[in-house]
Amino acid sequence: MPELPEVETLRADLEREIRGCRFAEVAVAQHRMTRGQEPQTIQRRLEGQLVESIGRRGKCLLIHLGSRDTLLLHRGMSGNLYLQLPSDPIGPHQRLAIELNDGRLLTLHDPRGFGELQVLTPAELEERCARLGPEPLGPDFTPEYVSRRFAGRAAPIKALLLDQRIVAGLGNIYVDESLWAARLYPGRPAGGVNESEAALLTEQIGLVLNQAIMWRGTTFSAARDLYRRDGNHGDRLGIFHRAICPRCGNPVAQTRIAGRGTSYCPVCQR
DNA sequence: CGCGAGACCTGATAGC
DNA sequence: TGCTATCAGGTCTCGC
């Protein structure tokens, strides 16, 4: 569920909170989200390490350590990272607990377990990130790039925007939001998008993401930030899960496109 | 290769 | 109230 803005909010909070801290005791649960890495190995490589900086690539949170290893965390559909006191209760799906040298506790909870939790060397990290397309807020995500990747593709625009190899960090909410902002019908074959439409789409993706980051992301149901608080962007969504299009006042269509629940305005988005 | 469907999980909610 | 069915913001793999 967390997409780029939610991970970016987390990154910025962690940068403020734990940069320069040292990891003390670490506990990792045996789970497929470690992709075969042994919990003991992860613990050993984390314990005693200095947190040098916090990064992000697409939806992956990257905690860079003094050893040059990186702790990669992907929140999947239901992962939440909390900063808490050791006295706070342990949830049933806690996958990771890191005690910091100042006594605070950083924990990862992921009920559905679709997330990812790994320690990577610089080479492994590079390989992992090479699977991802450009950052939608970075210099490589241009209208020309979008046009090139869309060219000749019969799949719906929405399917390509959800593909992390095309662009890294968009998920269901922000794809719908961006397509609404750019007035594009999500089901349109991507190959039919012309240059000016690609330019508008590229621009709107940037605006939508930056606005969401400004409001600390969108958080439905159980998804929270580092402090277990909701993001503030939920009320400001233009189309996603809305009943009425704020632009034209017509009813929003809820349907299924690219295998995902999709909100769009049948009047605004042709 | 491109595309769509299904699988992987648990929990919240809707409907009976 | 309590049971069952359905759905969820993500990815991966498989078969056509």
Side-chain angles (χ1 to χ4, degrees):
Chain A
M1 60 209 246
E3 306 177 33
L4 188 152
E6 292 73 43
V7 181
E8 180 57 29
T9 298
L10 180 61
R11 189 207 62 76
D13 286 345
L14 282 173
E15 183 82 25
R16 265 189 301 106
E17 294 281 2
I18 73 165
R19 179 185 197 140
C21 287
R22 202 169 277 281
F23 289 166
E25 197 174 338
V26 175
V28 177
Q30 179 76 56
H31 193 275
R32 64 191 165 81
M33 61 192 298
T34 67
R35 304 297 194 271
Q37 287 191 347
E38 287 301 322
Q40 297 88 328
T41 308
I42 298 174
Q43 285 162 202
R44 179 173 47 74
R45 288 170 68 180
L46 295 183
E47 281 175 346
Q49 290 302 318
L50 181 73
V51 176
E52 292 219 319
S53 62
I54 325 290
R56 179 191 59 72
R57 182 76 174 85
K59 300 172 188 171
C60 295
L61 183 77
L62 307 173
I63 302 180
H64 301 296
L65 305 171
S67 59
R68 305 200 63 218
D69 277 345
T70 296
L71 172 60
L72 179 149
L73 297 173
H74 190 300
R75 300 168 63 185
M77 285 281 267
S78 58
N80 282 317
L81 212 54
Y82 297 136
L83 200 52
Q84 55 185 75
L85 295 173
S87 54
D88 291 339
I90 297 176
H93 303 293
Q94 182 170 301
R95 315 291 186 190
L96 168 71
I98 299 175
E99 189 190 351
L100 302 175
N101 55 349
D102 59 17
R104 290 178 300 168
L105 199 62
L106 186 65
T107 57
L108 173 69
H109 304 259
D110 188 353
R112 296 177 73 178
F114 291 171
E116 192 175 341
L117 188 178
Q118 286 188 289
V119 185
L120 303 176
T121 64
E124 289 167 338
L125 177 63
E126 191 179 325
E127 189 188 344
R128 174 69 180 74
C129 290
R131 311 206 303 244
L132 301 173
E135 286 291 317
L137 296 175
D140 298 334
F141 189 65
T142 62
E144 295 71 35
Y145 170 80
V146 171
S147 291
R148 182 160 57 78
R149 297 305 300 264
F150 280 14
R153 300 289 301 265
I157 310 176
K158 172 158 179 164
L160 296 206
L161 292 179
L162 285 170
D163 186 340
Q164 303 299 296
R165 295 167 302 184
I166 305 270
V167 56
L170 294 180
N172 206 30
I173 295 182
Y174 296 108
V175 166
D176 279 8
E177 289 293 309
S178 301
L179 289 170
W180 176 74
R183 301 179 188 245
L184 290 168
Y185 172 60
R188 242 178 81 183
V193 172
N194 67 33
E195 284 190 17
S196 67
E197 289 169 331
L200 181 61
L201 176 60
T202 309
E203 179 192 19
Q204 291 302 318
I205 287 171
L207 292 175
V208 162
L209 293 176
N210 276 320
Q211 159 120 336
I213 291 169
M214 204 168 68
W215 291 105
R216 300 184 54 79
T218 307
T219 48
F220 290 156
S221 63
R224 296 286 145 72
D225 71 5
L226 190 59
Y227 314 101
R228 296 181 188 250
R229 295 181 317 211
D230 282 339
N232 300 314
H233 190 253
D235 312 336
R236 295 176 179 81
L237 292 173
I239 195 76
F240 195 78
H241 283 193
R242 292 278 294 254
I244 301 292
C245 172
R247 195 162 48 207
C248 72
N250 284 290
V252 170
Q254 309 291 342
T255 177
R256 188 159 285 268
I257 293 174
R260 313 294 302 277
T262 300
S263 307
Y264 72 96
C265 173
V267 176
C268 294
Q269 295 171 263
R270 312 275 18 161

